[in-house]
Amino acid sequence: MIRTLLVAASALGLAPAAIAAEPAAAPADFRARTPEQEVIYFVLPDRFDNGDTRNDKGGIKGDRLEHGYDPTAKGFYHGGDLKGLTRRLDYIQGMGITAIWFAPVFKNKPVQGPKGDESAGYHGYWVTDFTTIDPHFGTEAEFKAFVDAAHARGIKVYMDIIVNHTADVIQYREGGNYAYRGKADYPYSRRGGVNGAPINPGFAGDHVAAPENWVKLTDPTWAYTPYVPKGEERVKKPDWLNDPIYYHNRGNTNWFGESATFGDFVGLDDVATEHPRVVAGMIEIYGSWIDRFGIDGFRIDTARHVNPEFWQAFEPAMIERAKARGIPNFHIFAEVATGEIDPGYLARWSHIAHLSAPIDMAFAAAMQQAVSGKIGTDKVARLFEDDALYRGGEKAALRLPTFLGNHDFGRFSMFVKQANPGISQDELLERVALGHAMLLTLRGVPTIYYGDEQGFVSDGNDQLAREDMFPSKVAVYNDNDLIGTDATTAQANFDTAHPLYRLIAELSAVRRATPALTGGLQKIRAFSEKPGLLAISRFDPETGREVLLAYNTSAQPLSALVEVDPQSLSFAPLAGQCSTQVAAPGSLSVTLPAFGYAVCAAKP
């Protein structure tokens, strides 16, 4: 039986005062906060709250294969919208959230996919009109109302954006499965292969950025013969996106090598981001959203599938556009997808593309394995040692969004449960709580995936990890056994008494009040080749005062002496239990329960 909420909160180390913690008041100028000072909440609007049932079908007549609305199917629209997101701002702010990142809300192709395997654009990644809001989510006026309401609370707004592809509109006359056709076999200079008829005379190749080179690329039939089906000739906006010349037109990616940049994502039209018209056009599209609504940052989808030179032009242009709008700390963070503990791969993109903040997917992989008890804490320590690899080094790593699970990979609780067959609900809760404690106190910008604070446990990735917060009608969601509660997804889950919600609220407050936990560099103090102790010191960037973080990833209690700065002679607990005095100058005794943690601040 699941323990009561109060007992669970006690087990997670929540003091009575912390359980009742109020959200921090909005600062006079929330835009003065730097990116590393934020706590982000990532949400899919369609799955969060339905504030207006009148827009459920997006104003489109017909059945679900036309409007995309079917709340019983995991791959279709469920009705969540901007009004619902706006009316839940109290709930979000009460968790200590300071920035909201939401999946794309641009107008999408409602439904696509092969016959019998259709799904809807509820997730927002099948854009047709980059200039406006999808009617399933609301109107531009309602978007402005959401942004203004968030800003009034001091909460920043981050939009999820796409430049790599659009919805699947362009088709190929050759038919078939559209296997990828590479540049060596199907060069721009010949139609249909190296032995085909000459086309595009004088085009020097897609590596030559000069506009005078690209005006010579006029025939898009180098690999396939692309065309736009009747009735969809002007479906994309801005209008220039309707011309096939601005797409790669080489067939579906096989996810490796050249095709990872030039191939279509399962039919999604892959934009030719090397083209100077595309560069200028995308800068204008997204600059307009900054100008019109004063948003505070972008999360970039599928960044590694775009040529690096595009990002070298795009990110500085957005930063300057934001500064001109009075937004000095515009945060741009990018998806460079990996499921491995491989910070070098992420850091490489910070150099070749000048992406200032690749999302720290290596952190997520490390947390999933370490908190599950599958690796030692030495692997987590090594992850942080490699912060030096990022462009800008350890200071740059402070701005990397960190997370435990997401809408693509699956929920953190799922990884922990899968790694420990037969795990009890109590232990699952404790391990998941430890993961969130590490997320909220270690370096980076902690990013909470909506529903994690309510104990959601996904059955898998993608559609299986995109449950409804409002009462769900999806059977494969409603049979899930949530942690920390007796609720199911068949009812609304906005419980501010849930132990994980309380934990996040407490540690968010600690983080906001402790400069070492936002801007402090890390020094690794202790780690183990097996599950067990991880200890790391962080230092106040102004005073140099030390905060010691200690975690136990094992199922057994532990005690150890941990090195601290010799000037740190006494400590106060910010979370968990801490020794108040050092055992000797430079040595602090640490005692942790199974899956326990402590945040200990040196006294002046």
Side-chain angles (χ1 to χ4, degrees):
M1 179 180 294
I2 298 175
R3 67 182 71 185
T4 66
L5 294 177
L6 183 59
V7 172
S10 175
L12 299 183
L14 295 176
I19 293 174
E22 294 293 330
D29 183 6
F30 66 95
R31 282 182 167 143
R33 296 196 309 261
T34 55
E36 60 267 29
Q37 293 178 295
E38 311 299 345
V39 178
I40 302 173
Y41 190 65
F42 171 45
V43 59
L44 274 69
D46 179 66
R47 303 300 165 92
F48 195 64
D49 195 25
N50 191 343
D52 188 350
T53 58
R54 294 172 299 180
N55 61 28
D56 288 353
K57 297 179 181 180
I60 302 170
K61 296 179 180 180
D63 63 16
R64 75 172 198 157
L65 295 183
E66 294 176 89
H67 52 63
Y69 175 69
D70 182 353
T72 69
K74 68 183 187 300
F76 282 74
Y77 285 99
H78 289 179
D81 50 31
L82 290 164
K83 279 190 175 180
L85 195 56
T86 304
R87 76 178 182 183
R88 294 293 182 179
L89 284 172
D90 278 346
Y91 169 85
I92 294 171
Q93 189 172 31
M95 210 186 329
I97 299 301
T98 64
I100 298 172
W101 153 32
F102 47 84
V105 292
F106 312 108
K107 189 174 183 180
N108 266 228
K109 191 170 188 177
V111 177
Q112 63 181 44
K115 186 176 182 179
D117 193 27
E118 301 92 347
S119 61
Y122 70 93
H123 42 67
Y125 294 103
W126 298 342
V127 184
T128 53
D129 187 345
F130 289 81
T131 69
T132 195
I133 300 295
D134 191 290
H136 289 87
F137 300 134
T139 64
E140 288 188 20
E142 289 165 353
F143 180 73
K144 183 178 187 301
F146 164 70
V147 175
D148 291 348
H151 284 171
R153 297 165 176 266
I155 298 175
K156 293 182 179 180
V157 175
Y158 298 155
M159 296 185 76
D160 201 317
I161 68 169
I162 309 108
V163 304
N164 177 68
H165 57 265
T166 72
D168 182 11
V169 176
I170 296 173
Q171 304 299 310
Y172 303 141
R173 297 204 180 276
E174 286 76 4
N177 63 1
Y178 300 148
Y180 184 76
R181 293 180 172 179
K183 291 192 287 183
D185 292 325
Y186 295 87
Y188 293 106
S189 59
R190 297 277 177 175
R191 178 181 292 116
V194 294
N195 297 318
I199 58 172
N200 300 312
F203 181 64
D206 57 22
H207 63 289
V208 179
E212 53 269 27
N213 176 52
W214 285 90
V215 298
K216 298 173 183 176
L217 187 73
T218 59
D219 188 335
T221 62
W222 45 79
Y224 285 97
T225 309
Y227 72 98
V228 178
K230 186 177 181 180
E232 295 188 289
E233 295 90 348
R234 291 291 176 267
V235 72
K236 295 181 185 179
K237 290 183 174 53
D239 189 64
W240 60 267
L241 282 165
N242 292 297
D243 190 339
I245 200 66
Y246 298 121
Y247 297 85
H248 287 132
N249 304 312
R250 291 189 174 275
N252 290 325
T253 179
N254 57 28
W255 312 109
F256 296 101
E258 174 191 305
S259 81
T261 302
F262 292 87
D264 296 344
F265 271 45
V266 197
L268 296 172
D269 300 347
D270 200 66
V271 181
T273 48
E274 309 84 13
H275 200 301
R277 177 67 182 92
V278 173
V279 177
M282 288 294 181
I283 287 173
E284 182 50 39
I285 286 170
Y286 291 116
S288 172
W289 287 92
I290 298 172
D291 294 345
R292 289 185 288 155
F293 299 101
I295 59 171
D296 306 285
F298 289 144
R299 178 265 189 182
I300 299 170
D301 180 65
T302 53
R304 73 180 178 94
H305 299 287
V306 173
N307 61 304
E309 296 81 5
F310 177 91
W311 300 124
Q312 292 177 18
F314 182 84
E315 183 168 329
M318 294 300 98
I319 297 296
E320 288 305 311
R321 194 79 165 243
K323 286 180 179 178
R325 181 65 164 74
I327 307 168
N329 290 300
F330 197 81
H331 194 193
I332 297 179
F333 48 103
E335 179 196 34
V336 179
T338 178
E340 306 296 326
I341 308 175
D342 188 1
Y345 178 72
L346 303 176
R348 174 178 177 270
W349 276 86
S350 75
H351 288 278
I352 66 172
H354 296 183
L355 291 170
S356 58
I359 298 172
D360 198 348
M361 295 195 171
F363 177 95
M367 291 298 104
Q368 290 159 11
Q369 295 179 49
V371 175
S372 295
K374 296 305 176 185
I375 61 172
T377 57
D378 58 326
K379 300 298 191 300
V380 182
R382 176 57 193 270
L383 169 79
F384 293 131
E385 288 175 347
D386 284 345
D387 283 351
L389 299 176
Y390 288 96
R391 188 170 182 259
E394 292 177 278
K395 287 188 177 180
L398 296 175
R399 297 194 170 192
L400 305 181
T402 50
F403 70 100
L404 301 174
N406 68 9
H407 61 317
D408 290 327
F409 294 163
R411 293 190 180 275
F412 180 63
S413 53
M414 178 198 73
F415 289 105
V416 176
K417 187 175 182 178
Q418 289 178 344
N420 294 277
I423 189 173
S424 70
Q425 287 290 89
D426 288 352
E427 182 180 333
L428 180 58
L429 176 60
E430 290 167 356
R431 286 185 185 268
V432 170
L434 173 61
H436 281 86
M438 298 174 81
L439 174 71
L440 285 156
T441 52
L442 290 166
R443 72 100 179 99
V445 187
T447 304
I448 309 298
Y449 183 40
Y450 87 98
D452 281 1
E453 78 278 7
Q454 295 295 323
F456 283 15
V457 183
S458 61
D459 290 327
N461 64 354
D462 196 73
Q463 294 178 8
L464 290 171
R466 300 172 181 182
E467 303 94 327
D468 303 308
M469 292 282 281
F470 57 101
S472 181
K473 298 180 181 179
V474 179
V476 294
Y477 296 161
N478 292 343
D479 65 1
N480 290 349
D481 193 2
L482 310 188
I483 56 176
T485 178
D486 291 318
T488 73
T489 56
Q491 61 201 86
N493 282 278
F494 296 97
D495 181 10
T496 58
H498 192 287
L500 290 172
Y501 181 99
R502 296 181 182 188
L503 172 71
I504 293 167
E506 178 201 7
L507 292 179
S508 294
V510 171
R511 180 182 178 86
R512 293 194 307 270
T514 311
L517 298 184
T518 55
L521 298 180
Q522 297 188 152
K523 185 175 181 63
I524 298 167
R525 297 298 194 182
F527 53 84
S528 171
E529 293 181 351
K530 298 179 179 180
L533 178 65
L534 175 69
I536 292 176
S537 290
R538 302 190 67 181
F539 300 89
D540 189 305
E542 296 295 329
T543 67
R545 191 175 304 163
E546 182 174 13
V547 175
L548 180 69
L549 310 173
Y551 316 96
N552 179 10
T553 65
S554 77
Q556 302 298 323
L558 65 81
S559 294
L561 292 172
V562 174
E563 181 186 4
V564 293
D565 191 284
Q567 302 302 312
S568 301
L569 299 177
S570 60
F571 287 81
L574 300 182
Q577 302 299 315
C578 302
S579 298
T580 57
Q581 301 293 324
V582 295
S587 179
L588 183 71
S589 177
V590 171
T591 299
L592 297 171
F595 316 123
Y597 61 89
V599 181
C600 309
K603 294 181 179 180

